[in-house]
Amino acid sequence: MVVLFSLPRYRVFIFLKQSLLRIMGAKFGKGVVIYPGVWISPGRNLIVGDDVDLAKDVLITTSGGVTIGDRTLIGYRSLIISSNHSIPPIGEPFPISGDVHAPVSISKDVWIGANCVITPGVEIGEGAVIAAGSVVTKDVPANAIYGGVPAKLIRMRDSSE
């Protein structure tokens, strides 16, 4: 599987990548581009709309569910995480603390810059822009530009953009 996902973004390889992920339960729209190094695990609970671009080295965990809307761009080395380890009480070990799953929803026409982290349970509204290097821990409203660690509102997009 590692070899398959390291292959270039030629149509035949994208078809093979999507086919394997569909077997695992993922759903894809038309015109989805999957660059080399994209890693999606476990694959189930993933819905990707039309004309979505997953840039090089994007990582998506889908146990909690991930939905990506039409015409969305996910920048290089970004992480979309729908599950995480739970924090155990003091004295209990982390490895057996269990997992917390929460869906991630990314609406249509969203641009997520390079090296972003989208945490479990986050909803990103239609037309939003996430600045490179941001860590999104809370919902982002439609047409907002968010950035930083943690990501905060920079400004709202206007109709001339």
Side-chain angles (χ1 to χ4, degrees):
M1 196 148 102
V2 173
V3 172
L4 175 62
F5 283 93
S6 65
L7 295 172
R9 61 183 180 123
Y10 299 128
R11 282 187 192 145
V12 67
F13 299 140
I14 291 170
F15 173 79
L16 292 172
K17 293 171 189 180
Q18 287 182 9
S19 296
L20 177 62
L21 289 164
R22 281 187 175 107
I23 289 169
M24 295 156 73
K27 296 176 183 165
F28 289 91
K30 297 176 185 173
V32 175
V33 177
I34 302 174
Y35 280 68
V38 169
W39 192 256
I40 299 170
S41 178
R44 68 180 182 276
N45 304 320
L46 173 66
I47 301 170
V48 179
D50 296 336
D51 302 312
V52 170
D53 193 281
L54 302 174
K56 188 173 185 330
D57 297 328
V58 166
L59 179 130
I60 303 173
T61 66
T62 64
S63 293
V66 174
T67 302
I68 302 172
D70 297 344
R71 298 175 305 278
T72 291
L73 305 173
I74 311 291
Y76 298 105
R77 293 174 302 284
S78 288
L79 311 175
I80 300 171
I81 302 168
S82 66
S83 59
N84 203 350
H85 295 291
S86 60
I87 299 175
I90 293 174
E92 290 187 23
F94 278 97
I96 60 171
S97 65
D99 295 318
V100 175
H101 305 290
V104 173
S105 177
I106 301 169
S107 296
K108 65 182 180 177
D109 299 314
V110 170
W111 176 18
I112 296 175
N115 294 304
C116 290
V117 177
I118 312 300
T119 60
V122 166
E123 292 185 29
I124 299 176
E126 182 177 333
V129 176
I130 309 299
S134 298
V135 177
V136 181
T137 59
K138 296 187 177 145
D139 292 351
V140 174
N143 300 309
I145 300 174
Y146 265 56
V149 179
K152 295 185 175 160
L153 179 66
I154 295 172
R155 67 181 174 90
M156 298 301 290
R157 292 176 60 199
D158 70 34
S159 60
S160 66
E161 295 178 309

